[in-house]
Amino acid sequence: MVKIEAIIRQNKLEDVQDALNELHVSGMTVLEVRGMGRQKGVTHTYRGSQYTLSLTPKLMLILVVLEHEVDAIVSAIQSAANTGEVGDGKIFVSKIDQAVRIRTDERGEVVLQ
C-alpha cells in the first residue's frame, strides 16, 4: 500500500476529482492547508493598499492506494492540477506498512476495497 499526498491549488480540486473518478479511485481525504514554497506568497490589493499573504491557501489530498495504481494516479493528479505556473503544488508518495478498518478489525489491502 502507498500513501499519496498532493498539495494543489484550491480551484483545481474539481479537475483532480474528475481525473481520479476516471481511474475509479474510491477514497480520498481533502484538507484545507496553508503553506509557502517557491511561490513565496501572494500579493493582493484591497481598497488601494497592497498586502502580501506569505502562507498561500492550498488543498491537501490524501489517498492510500495499491502499489500498482500509483503511477496512474500520480500522473492523473499532475495533469489535472497543472497550470504551468509557480504554485501548482507538489505530490509526495510514501509506503504504508499497515491499514486497519476500525469497524471490523480487517487488516491489509482489503481495507482499501
Side-chain angles (χ1 to χ4, degrees):
M1 292 176 292
V2 176
K3 179 165 72 169
I4 299 172
E5 295 174 302
I7 300 170
I8 64 169
R9 295 175 185 267
Q10 292 177 326
N11 64 334
K12 288 302 208 168
L13 178 60
E14 191 172 321
D15 294 339
V16 171
Q17 281 183 297
D18 291 343
L20 293 175
N21 285 338
E22 288 180 20
L23 296 175
H24 307 290
V25 173
S26 61
M28 171 175 64
T29 301
V30 179
L31 304 168
E32 292 182 4
V33 297
R34 293 203 273 170
M36 178 184 67
R38 293 177 62 197
Q39 190 176 12
K40 302 290 187 215
V42 176
T43 301
H44 294 286
T45 303
Y46 179 73
R47 294 187 179 193
S49 298
Q50 285 192 339
Y51 65 97
T52 301
L53 295 174
S54 60
L55 298 176
T56 306
K58 301 282 185 177
L59 295 176
M60 178 185 280
L61 315 178
I62 302 172
L63 303 91
V64 178
V65 300
L66 300 175
E67 197 158 337
H68 71 272
E69 300 172 314
V70 172
D71 290 337
I73 291 171
V74 168
S75 293
I77 294 169
Q78 185 175 9
S79 295
N82 184 15
T83 68
E85 297 180 17
V86 174
D88 278 349
K90 298 210 174 26
I91 301 172
F92 304 98
V93 180
S94 55
K95 297 276 186 191
I96 296 293
D97 292 328
Q98 188 174 165
V100 179
R101 180 172 285 136
I102 294 172
R103 179 178 52 88
T104 61
D105 196 38
E106 293 172 294
R107 295 169 186 265
E109 293 181 0
V110 69
V111 171
L112 302 181
Q113 299 170 352

